[in-house]
Amino acid sequence: MASEVFSKQKTIYLRKKHIGPSCKVFFSHDPIKIVRAKGQYMYNEKNEQYLDCINNVAHVGHSHPEVVSAGAKQMELLNTNSRFLHDNLVQYAQRLQATLPEKLSVCYFVNSGSEANDLALRLAWQYTGHKDIITLDNAYHGHVSSLINISPYKFHQLAQPEHSQHVHVAPSPDIYRGKYREDHPDPATAYADDVKDIIEKAHAKGCKIAAFIAESLQSCGGQVIPPVGYFQKVAQYVPIAGGIFIADEVQVGFGRVGTHFWAFQLQGEDFIPDIVTMGKPIGNGHPMSCVVTTREVAESFMSSGMDYFNTFGGNPVSCAIGLAVLDVIEKEDLQGNALRVGGYLTELLKKLKERHPLIGDIRGRGLFVGVELVKDWIKRTPATAEAQDVIYRLKDQRILLSADGPHRNVLKFKPPMCFSTADADLAVEKIDQILTGSSQTFACISHLYTLLFDDISFVLILQDLENALGLCMSANKDSTNAHSKRKVRLKNPNPIFLGSKYFFSCVYYCQSANVYTEQALLLSY
């Protein structure tokens, strides 16, 4: 069993001291210290087991012995850059290309999804000679500057967003919450026509489109499944404008959707992008990624006169690991498992939706599933605080799930591909218990929300919530100190911010009195 070097508190202290404060951790009020993992399970320093429902990076399972062995054996022999000939590089490129349409035949190996998408933009700019990029609202494509510019999921978070004049944002093709919904007769065409309108407006201003880029299924945007036919229709408009189509498979590739190896293939055999980017699951946790494109695009990139070299991209160890991942996917039928278990999980969640009005929508493909929580089915008001409550309560039950989307109200399932029906049963059972036992808590949350907006004294808010839930102050708290904290008065509350972060923190005081001070300070901001 793995041992820890420092105590958990020492690790927290050193992280705060030496790691950038913008590098966040899960469950910040009580982060989990993970010391080992195997399959779909992770273990903390006390050897307590957590079911991992969120780690799509450990694609074939944490610490898979065949993947670990392949990397170790190659590292014992050689690891160097790709300017030397080595069979691993070309063997892996050949194996990877065999999973793709024939025209996608040229590979560039890099080290992360961000590097892959950044290189894809360079390929598009060179091939087309154009500059402008069309991206989708709520998209996330990476953390480097060129990708923050095309990632509304990120740049909308900035206090003073700077929108590049060369970036055009199309509506997310979300048929549950988006502009065109499930009752629209042809949402694929409607959303594609919005892209056409953007192209026409850009041309009217003298702008030229280099590429349309989209995640094949939006992940950070809230597990959004584009309507079938959307990509084909967009792919009709973009080439006419002189641009190319980039499919970002960083989150959802390598069989996760079950029916196909690549998520873009869900759109139909008649759709083939010009560039495909991949990352996260490609190395099962080892840092590697790839850009695959056509011969024409690759030759255009070479014609710039600049060589492309990546020190670590395509090194023998990375390629050995990549080959092992492909072997495991095939030998253990993990794509088939994603189809079977993902379908089973989706059906369980749909039955749960029938019993719990907080669940507004269940959507997904294979082991990529979203559960959108709403306060009411008609207005589809995002249940942001409730979603946070659910994931924190699941964490207490040692089940790891996350919430994302523009309103942080979509529970995201994207577990390792060895996830089983028993795991699905456990996760859904715990969600059911939480939703069943929390109806009164959620009602109090809504009441607290109203009180906050009325600028009521903090003492009244806490007393009202405690009385309704039958809670009281922890006996080991100093009552005088607690009383003084209770008299904090909220000054000029911001409804949007209070409606999520501060408001949720107050509820967690009531359920975990040991973090009362932190939450009192948050609410007295």
Side-chain angles (χ1 to χ4, degrees):
M1 185 177 75
S3 60
E4 54 176 344
V5 176
F6 304 114
S7 68
K8 180 177 176 179
Q9 290 306 312
K10 180 72 170 180
T11 302
I12 292 172
Y13 166 76
L14 290 173
R15 182 177 176 113
K16 289 180 178 178
K17 182 178 180 181
H18 296 300
I19 306 302
S22 58
C23 300
K24 303 298 184 182
V25 296
F26 286 131
F27 311 109
S28 58
H29 80 278
D30 183 24
I32 304 170
K33 185 174 184 179
I34 296 296
V35 298
R36 67 184 181 94
K38 188 173 182 62
Q40 64 271 49
Y41 304 107
M42 306 179 82
Y43 300 85
N44 67 8
E45 78 281 8
K46 299 176 182 177
N47 203 36
E48 294 170 331
Q49 177 179 286
Y50 289 81
L51 175 61
D52 183 0
C53 299
I54 58 177
N55 209 323
N56 60 336
V57 176
H59 191 64
V60 301
H62 292 280
S63 308
H64 195 287
E66 291 190 32
V67 177
V68 173
S69 176
K73 286 180 179 178
Q74 181 57 52
M75 193 173 289
E76 287 178 346
L77 294 173
L78 170 73
N79 198 23
T80 187
N81 66 64
S82 61
R83 283 183 168 164
F84 296 97
L85 291 177
H86 197 280
D87 288 345
N88 283 8
L89 176 66
V90 293
Q91 185 183 7
Y92 184 52
Q94 185 180 45
R95 285 277 303 277
L96 198 58
Q97 194 285 319
T99 68
L100 291 157
E102 185 176 356
K103 82 167 195 173
L104 293 168
S105 60
V106 182
C107 300
Y108 295 88
F109 290 106
V110 288
N111 306 290
S112 70
S114 291
E115 272 194 71
N117 283 328
D118 181 71
L119 178 56
L121 293 185
R122 289 181 60 190
L123 292 171
W125 289 327
Q126 175 63 30
Y127 178 71
T128 65
H130 301 165
K131 186 66 176 175
D132 288 33
I133 304 295
I134 301 175
T135 187
L136 295 178
D137 201 10
N138 306 319
Y140 175 64
H141 295 289
H143 63 81
V144 300
S145 296
S146 66
L147 303 176
I148 295 294
N149 285 339
I150 63 168
S151 297
Y153 176 83
K154 281 295 185 182
F155 67 65
H156 283 332
Q157 298 176 20
L158 298 174
Q160 295 180 323
E162 294 183 6
H163 188 75
S164 170
Q165 62 179 344
H166 295 293
V167 176
H168 311 274
V169 180
S172 170
D174 181 351
I175 63 171
Y176 179 74
R177 182 173 295 284
K179 184 177 179 182
Y180 311 108
R181 300 186 174 185
E182 68 274 9
D183 58 351
H184 192 282
D186 188 0
T189 298
Y191 278 116
D193 284 347
D194 279 345
V195 176
K196 181 182 178 183
D197 290 343
I198 287 172
I199 292 172
E200 291 174 350
K201 290 177 181 176
H203 282 180
K205 295 179 181 178
C207 302
K208 295 182 178 180
I209 304 300
F212 172 91
I213 184 170
E215 300 157 270
S216 298
L217 305 176
Q218 279 195 314
S219 181
C220 293
Q223 309 294 86
V224 175
I225 315 298
V228 174
Y230 171 65
F231 283 174
Q232 287 96 324
K233 295 178 187 300
V234 170
Q236 293 173 9
Y237 301 137
V238 173
I240 295 173
I244 61 177
F245 196 116
I246 303 170
D248 180 343
E249 290 272 340
V250 170
Q251 293 268 12
V252 293
F254 292 88
R256 176 162 295 277
V257 298
T259 54
H260 299 82
F261 202 78
W262 302 105
F264 74 78
Q265 294 170 325
L266 292 168
Q267 292 283 312
E269 294 183 1
D270 57 335
F271 170 68
I272 301 175
D274 301 289
I275 298 175
V276 174
T277 60
M278 49 195 77
K280 294 189 187 299
I282 190 173
N284 207 56
H286 180 80
M288 60 184 295
S289 59
C290 186
V291 179
V292 185
T293 188
T294 65
R295 175 62 54 186
E296 293 77 16
V297 171
E299 289 180 350
S300 172
F301 192 52
M302 184 181 67
S303 70
S304 69
M306 183 189 299
D307 289 344
Y308 180 77
F309 173 66
N310 189 300
T311 302
F312 299 108
N315 69 74
V317 172
S318 293
C319 291
I321 288 172
L323 284 165
V325 170
L326 292 179
D327 287 341
V328 173
I329 292 172
E330 184 176 342
K331 286 195 293 187
E332 298 184 7
D333 189 26
L334 293 182
Q335 182 178 335
N337 189 66
L339 180 62
R340 293 185 295 272
V341 177
Y344 180 77
L345 172 63
T346 299
E347 287 305 311
L348 289 179
L349 291 168
K350 286 180 178 178
K351 291 177 182 177
L352 203 64
K353 179 177 180 289
E354 295 173 359
R355 300 197 301 275
H356 297 289
L358 193 67
I359 299 177
D361 190 38
I362 306 293
R363 53 182 178 264
R365 296 290 185 275
L367 282 174
F368 183 82
V369 181
V371 181
E372 180 147 2
L373 302 188
V374 296
K375 295 178 184 293
D376 61 88
W377 283 4
I378 304 301
K379 295 181 180 179
R380 303 184 180 183
T381 307
T384 300
E386 291 86 341
Q388 299 302 312
D389 185 66
V390 168
I391 63 171
Y392 270 79
R393 288 174 183 248
L394 283 171
K395 177 249 189 184
D396 293 339
Q397 298 288 329
R398 302 200 186 110
I399 295 174
L400 303 180
L401 199 64
S402 63
D404 219 329
H407 305 287
R408 303 295 192 272
N409 68 315
V410 181
L411 307 181
K412 296 173 62 173
F413 282 89
K414 47 187 183 69
M417 297 272 279
C418 50
F419 201 74
S420 69
T421 54
D423 298 325
D425 284 332
L426 177 62
V428 175
E429 176 189 356
K430 294 302 182 183
I431 293 173
D432 188 21
Q433 291 174 1
I434 290 168
L435 296 182
T436 300
S438 297
S439 57
Q440 186 182 23
T441 301
F442 292 147
C444 292
I445 286 174
S446 297
H447 186 46
L448 175 59
Y449 188 70
T450 302
L451 291 173
L452 284 171
F453 288 170
D454 289 340
D455 197 19
I456 301 297
S457 295
F458 193 27
V459 60
L460 296 180
I461 297 171
L462 285 182
Q463 285 177 344
D464 180 75
L465 191 61
E466 289 167 4
N467 291 338
L469 296 177
L471 299 167
C472 59
M473 289 290 292
S474 175
N476 63 2
K477 292 288 178 182
D478 180 83
S479 59
T480 303
N481 188 41
H483 180 72
S484 65
K485 284 188 173 71
R486 281 184 169 188
K487 289 185 177 180
V488 174
R489 188 174 180 81
L490 297 170
K491 302 293 185 181
N492 302 317
N494 181 329
I496 295 174
F497 208 38
L498 287 171
S500 55
K501 182 177 178 181
Y502 292 155
F503 163 38
F504 170 67
S505 296
C506 179
V507 173
Y508 256 83
Y509 152 67
C510 297
Q511 295 171 350
S512 305
N514 62 318
V515 289
Y516 178 83
T517 302
E518 175 189 351
Q519 282 141 4
L521 290 172
L522 281 172
L523 280 161
S524 63
Y525 177 82

